[in-house]
Amino acid sequence: METRIDEVAEGIYRVSTYVPEIAPPAGFTFNQFLIDAEEPLIFHTGMRSLFPAVAEAIRQVVPLERLRWVTFGHVEADECGAMNEFLAAAPRAEVAHNTLGCLVSLNDLADRPPVPMDDGEVLDLGGRQVRRRRVRNLNTPHVPHGWEARVLFEEETRTLFCGDLFTHLGNGPAVTEEDLVEAALRSEELFRQTSCLTAATAALRSLAELRPRTLAVMHGSSYRGDGAAALTALADAMEERFGPESEFAAKPSVLANPHP
């Protein structure tokens, strides 16, 4: 495995680990995103096994002990498996997640009490010494999966931390201006990761109203360009490719039988 760090928007860094053994021959990436702010924030922690490599990459930008906020999209190993390792390494760090996620999981799982966030609530990352950053919590229940699913929107650079949305295979560039929709559809056909097509397309169209310039994708390349058009195109294509929903839901995930 290799872990690299690249700036995908001003002051926002993608930490990416490529795992060729997942979905070969293309392989798969696991990405975390660091916002370099007065109160630095990480979105996704990676699995516990990735913590040493991810921590070393973060240290290239900020001292790990300065990390202030640990955030992620939903409760899953690749999203928050190393949550408590980060809390141990950064004495001032706190987990911030939506209220539902805190109630159903994180109040018990996190070694320090998490900070609950309402839908639309803004987390101010400070700005006296480093350029001011504000991230907005947007709840997206069951999209792409997880009752407590949410995304974050960084207002200064208009970066949408969209988690598993736009997941695709391979070890592409850190950021691209190429269309990601077809690659995301091929991945969905393999993994069957999206919970409810109707909820997903409604959420995608709602997120398009933010008009993001960068899509910080957890698995695969981040996207720079017309984020609203990309989100809308993915919603349209999912409806066309995977409807009627009942037929597509009956198709198994490639992960359902990984060793045929």
Side-chain angles (χ1 to χ4, degrees):
M1 294 189 300
E2 60 169 318
T3 299
R4 56 177 294 177
I5 186 166
D6 297 274
E7 191 173 18
V8 297
E10 185 183 357
I12 297 177
Y13 296 84
R14 171 188 183 258
V15 179
S16 182
T17 303
Y18 173 60
V19 184
E21 295 81 11
I22 297 180
F28 202 59
T29 62
F30 292 90
N31 302 328
Q32 299 77 45
F33 293 93
L34 171 71
I35 300 179
D36 181 14
E38 190 161 317
E39 297 188 356
L41 176 147
I42 188 170
F43 189 71
H44 314 309
T45 72
M47 298 82 81
R48 287 184 295 170
S49 62
L50 292 182
F51 175 73
V54 173
E56 184 60 32
I58 289 173
R59 289 189 184 100
Q60 297 179 39
V61 180
V62 298
L64 193 62
E65 59 270 18
R66 274 197 58 220
L67 193 66
R68 180 66 179 87
W69 298 105
V70 178
T71 64
F72 38 88
H74 51 272
V75 179
E76 192 175 9
D78 62 347
E79 297 262 352
C80 62
M83 168 180 66
N84 288 323
E85 281 75 4
F86 276 103
L87 292 180
R92 295 180 58 247
E94 294 180 276
V95 173
H97 197 73
N98 64 24
T99 301
L100 179 62
C102 293
L103 289 173
V104 301
S105 295
L106 298 174
N107 287 341
D108 181 71
L109 295 177
D111 283 349
R112 288 201 284 277
V115 175
M117 298 182 69
D118 293 331
D119 186 40
E121 185 173 346
V122 170
L123 190 65
D124 193 327
L125 306 185
R128 291 188 300 274
Q129 299 176 5
V130 183
R131 190 171 186 176
R132 195 170 197 86
R133 301 286 186 170
R134 288 160 48 93
V135 292
R136 194 188 321 165
N137 172 67
L138 300 166
N139 293 339
T140 59
H142 304 292
V143 179
H145 45 255
W147 187 21
E148 76 296 345
R150 59 85 173 259
V151 298
L152 288 181
F153 183 63
E154 198 280 306
E155 296 177 339
E156 175 68 24
T157 64
R158 304 193 66 78
T159 295
L160 180 66
F161 296 89
C162 51
D164 287 331
L165 295 172
F166 290 96
T167 284
H168 55 282
L169 304 181
N171 189 25
V175 62
T176 182
E177 296 181 4
E178 299 295 323
D179 179 31
L180 293 182
V181 171
E182 182 59 34
L185 294 174
R186 290 196 298 269
S187 176
E188 178 65 19
E189 287 178 327
L190 281 175
F191 293 131
R192 289 292 295 113
Q193 66 153 352
T194 304
S195 299
C196 176
L197 182 61
T198 303
T201 54
L204 286 165
R205 292 191 173 102
S206 176
L207 294 173
E209 296 177 5
L210 297 170
R211 307 190 67 79
R213 291 194 291 260
T214 302
L215 300 175
V217 178
M218 182 176 183
H219 302 292
S221 300
S222 294
Y223 174 74
R224 182 182 298 135
D226 189 341
L231 289 158
T232 302
L234 182 59
D236 292 343
M238 289 179 75
E239 288 180 337
E240 180 180 354
R241 181 77 58 91
F242 303 138
E245 200 166 331
S246 59
E247 293 181 11
F248 183 61
K251 297 180 181 180
S253 164
V254 68
L255 298 180
N257 185 22
H259 304 292

